[in-house]
Amino acid sequence: MNFLPLLEAGAGTGSTGIAYSLLLYGALFAFMWFVLIRPQKKRQKETEALQNSIKTGDSVLLSAGIYGKVVDTVNDIVIVELGTNKSVRVPVQRAGIISKAEPDLSIVKSEEE
């Protein structure tokens, strides 16, 4: 096969091909920005705002799945009181707090058929 006619036909579209490629890569980057990067940064800002708004007396959920009540805050450390035993106090970094939440201790009976 002779590919010379095909190469000659495509030789005149050099600058258009580069512009098209740059436009395609730009569109791909914009799509990735709006789908992946932007929402992650938004969630990170919301989490930081929540962690900075923690104060004494708030019920919190830790990243380990443990509920507790904030007793004291010192710089980046939060002292959390765990469970119903009021003598268990654990120092936790602010980054270990996922949300402000109270445990749902209501008993729900499942209906078995």
Side-chain angles (χ1 to χ4, degrees):
M1 285 196 126
N2 191 358
F3 292 108
L4 191 57
L6 294 174
L7 291 175
E8 290 174 358
T13 61
S15 63
T16 308
I18 292 172
Y20 180 73
S21 295
L22 289 176
L23 182 65
L24 185 64
Y25 284 123
L28 181 65
F29 178 76
F31 176 75
M32 296 297 276
W33 174 264
F34 283 107
V35 171
L36 297 175
I37 299 170
R38 188 170 171 244
Q40 184 210 6
K41 285 188 177 185
K42 185 177 179 182
R43 270 182 270 137
Q44 184 178 5
K45 284 182 182 179
E46 289 173 357
T47 303
E48 287 176 5
L50 171 85
Q51 290 170 350
N52 290 332
S53 70
I54 299 292
K55 59 187 181 301
T56 304
D58 288 342
S59 293
V60 294
L61 175 63
L62 303 178
S63 61
I66 300 172
Y67 288 96
K69 188 171 228 173
V70 176
V71 179
D72 193 16
T73 57
V74 180
N75 297 333
D76 199 25
I77 304 294
V78 177
I79 308 298
V80 179
E81 189 173 74
L82 303 176
T84 56
N85 187 358
K86 300 297 182 186
S87 64
V88 180
R89 295 181 178 189
V90 179
V92 177
Q93 285 187 342
R94 279 189 194 269
I97 297 173
I98 296 176
S99 67
K100 288 183 182 180
E102 294 214 13
D104 183 17
L105 299 176
S106 61
I107 299 173
V108 178
K109 292 184 180 181
S110 62
E111 294 181 21
E112 296 179 13
E113 294 182 32

